[in-house]
Amino acid sequence: MIHPFEAPIYVTRPTLPSFDRFARQLQSVWHTKQLTNNGPLVQRLERVLASSMNQERVSVVANGTLALQLALKASGIKNEVITSPFTFVATAHSIVWNGCVPVFVDILPEAQTIDPEAVERAITPRTTAIVGVHVYGRPCEHPELKSIADRHGLRLLYDAAHAFGVHVDGKCISHLGNLSVFSFHATKAFHSLEGGMVTARDQDMITKINYLRNFGFESETEVVTVGTNAKMNEIQAAIGLLSLRSFGDEVRNRMRIHEAYLNHLSEVPGLSLPPELPDRVDSNYSYFPVLVDHHRFGLSRDELFERLKAYNVFARRYFYPLLPDLRSYSSSTVRGDLSVAREVASQVLCLPIYGELEPEIAKRICEIVREIQRTV
Ligand code: T4K
């Protein structure tokens, strides 16, 4: 019997800069006493992010959920917005907080992103936008979604919360769609404790977001829109700037974990590993989701999830339950059947992956999975 890990192994852990470097960064904050309200570190973070994102304009905010809410608000969406049921609640919540109705449609079996054909079938005269989710950092079927959005005169936004650092055809994923939204939450490959970002090619759109994040202030005496308080503060920006410096290492280390799982789980009957991404996509290895086929594996996903805990391994069922199965969405609008999404949500299990995880630990997690299967 393999011994349980002495300390818990969580699905993720944030990589932090050395405390000394952080303290040095903080000295400037202590010196200026500018803690928030578009301080110098927030401005620097925006400049550094913008320069790394193919001329995209950026606006950083307090978290990814507010980024989504502001992006939808600035886009002027109304009535129905078509989106994925297989995502974190924040995607749909942001639609509802904008007074709109999320319309859930099915996902594709491989990539688990929204199915363009299901999107097209769900369009009505009330539809104003599509919100695709690059789930686990896997790009949506952009050319198809764009052609649908163009034909029907819809806005196309992407929830890219998982996709910071992902490139498609050598360009940052933010170049897809009218607007993209990223999360810099502590559980993400790149983080600023909490944080988020909206990107767009259109400077007017980013100017709107900048007003919205700061109560709508245009100047000291003029408020041009009914905004909110979504400002990032200087401590978040300090962590963000330091995390950016080590982001390349973070992705390389995650790739080693990803490969360790591929090597040591490929022969396990009943376990489907993440599909290989097309060559034109550079991944950020943000999650390692596997699908557990109850009959072939010998245990259900939930049983495996529970048994791993006995070994001190805390995997997560991102994203289960499906959004329309949550009480707050029990009367939500579903168009077409969600059979693919339902099956994926019932089988998915995200295994631990983060920059500071040792490949040896990942290998031992694989041995544990095989031992659990042997002892069924
Ligand atoms: N759109 C999508 C598609 C998203 O997935 C998300 C967020 C958003 C939008 C909204 O972005 P934000 O507003 O959050 O920026 C987590 C995150 O809170 C959430 O950001 C994320 N997606 C979602 C998928 O997962 P939980 O409830 O699973 O997190 P929690 O606290 O259970 O953390 C998981 C593990 O991470 C812990 O077991 C230990 C580790 N951890 C976590 C935190 C917060 C740490 O080691 N340190 C930490 O500080 O939601």
Side-chain angles (χ1 to χ4, degrees):
M1 147 110 187
I2 302 170
H3 290 298
F5 287 102
E6 271 177 28
I9 307 291
Y10 296 111
V11 68
T12 188
R13 297 300 266 168
T15 298
L16 285 168
S18 79
F19 191 74
D20 287 348
R21 286 179 95 177
F22 181 50
R24 279 200 297 278
Q25 187 76 286
L26 286 189
Q27 270 169 355
S28 67
V29 180
W30 257 243
H31 179 69
T32 62
K33 296 192 194 295
Q34 182 80 36
L35 307 182
T36 182
N37 288 7
N38 206 24
L41 295 183
V42 165
Q43 291 181 34
R44 191 176 341 146
L45 179 62
E46 283 188 336
R47 280 195 303 276
V48 177
L49 287 167
S51 71
S52 68
M53 302 183 102
N54 19 272
Q55 309 309 315
E56 230 72 65
R57 318 277 180 214
V58 314
S59 178
V60 299
V61 296
N63 59 59
T65 306
L66 282 165
L68 267 170
Q69 288 181 19
L70 300 193
L72 290 161
K73 180 95 178 160
S75 304
I77 58 148
K78 292 199 270 313
N79 302 322
E80 294 183 355
V81 177
I82 299 174
T83 194
S84 170
F86 185 66
T87 177
F88 190 58
V89 284
T91 314
H93 282 0
S94 308
I95 295 170
V96 177
W97 274 66
N98 271 281
C100 298
V101 177
V103 173
F104 299 115
V105 299
D106 212 354
I107 58 170
L108 296 166
E110 274 264 300
Q112 295 150 7
T113 52
I114 199 165
D115 178 350
E117 287 180 14
V119 169
E120 186 142 36
R121 283 195 296 272
I123 294 172
T124 71
R126 292 178 59 76
T127 311
T128 58
I130 302 167
V131 176
V133 181
H134 301 310
V135 69
Y136 311 131
R138 298 173 191 162
C140 290
E141 303 293 306
H142 178 67
E144 290 79 0
L145 291 174
K146 181 171 176 353
S147 134
I148 294 167
D150 288 348
R151 263 185 283 123
H152 295 270
L154 306 175
R155 307 288 297 169
L156 176 58
L157 290 84
Y158 285 117
D159 179 340
H162 304 169
F164 184 83
V166 174
H167 286 74
V168 182
D169 296 322
K171 287 196 274 182
C172 177
I173 195 163
S174 58
H175 76 279
L176 308 179
N178 299 113
L179 286 171
S180 296
V181 166
F182 295 82
S183 166
F184 301 161
H185 185 258
T187 53
K188 301 296 184 292
F190 165 71
H191 76 95
S192 58
L193 307 181
E194 292 257 12
M197 171 174 70
V198 183
T199 65
R201 250 153 296 139
D202 177 358
Q203 179 55 48
D204 288 349
M205 191 54 84
I206 291 300
T207 304
K208 270 193 207 171
I209 305 275
N210 288 344
Y211 291 148
L212 285 169
R213 75 179 174 182
N214 187 28
F215 311 100
F217 275 107
E218 184 190 50
S219 65
E220 196 182 330
T221 52
E222 188 56 278
V223 174
V224 291
T225 183
V226 180
T228 186
N229 180 356
K231 287 170 275 123
M232 178 181 271
N233 67 50
E234 290 290 280
I235 311 292
Q236 289 172 284
I239 290 284
L241 283 162
L242 293 171
S243 303
L244 265 186
R245 290 197 208 161
S246 58
F247 183 64
D249 290 337
E250 176 72 22
V251 172
R252 276 186 288 280
N253 293 343
R254 284 166 175 263
M255 186 176 80
R256 288 160 61 216
I257 302 301
H258 181 96
E259 284 169 357
Y261 281 136
L262 290 185
N263 287 338
H264 299 288
L265 289 176
S266 60
E267 305 291 309
V268 178
L271 216 58
S272 306
L273 305 185
E276 210 176 305
L277 292 177
D279 282 348
R280 60 197 193 85
V281 179
D282 295 315
S283 177
N284 63 1
Y285 305 97
S286 51
Y287 293 86
F288 194 89
V290 298
L291 298 181
V292 186
D293 178 327
H294 186 161
H295 297 293
R296 291 183 52 237
F297 185 79
L299 286 175
S300 69
R301 180 276 313 272
D302 291 343
E303 287 165 328
L304 176 59
F305 170 68
E306 290 301 331
R307 292 216 192 171
L308 281 169
K309 288 185 191 170
Y311 290 86
N312 237 345
V313 176
F314 295 87
R316 290 296 288 266
R317 292 168 290 184
Y318 297 132
F319 291 100
Y320 168 81
L322 274 194
L323 299 192
D325 296 340
L326 298 170
R327 211 178 332 144
S328 48
Y329 287 95
S330 56
S331 54
S332 62
T333 307
V334 171
R335 289 220 177 101
D337 84 90
L338 301 183
S339 51
V340 177
R342 224 166 266 299
E343 174 146 325
V344 171
S346 71
Q347 295 190 344
V348 72
L349 192 63
C350 289
L351 299 180
I353 186 164
Y354 47 92
E356 288 176 358
L357 192 68
E358 292 292 327
E360 277 307 306
I361 304 274
K363 187 173 165 215
R364 192 159 140 208
I365 293 172
C366 299
E367 284 160 8
I368 290 170
V369 168
R370 287 202 300 267
E371 175 165 278
I372 290 172
Q373 187 178 46
R374 269 199 311 277
T375 53
V376 168

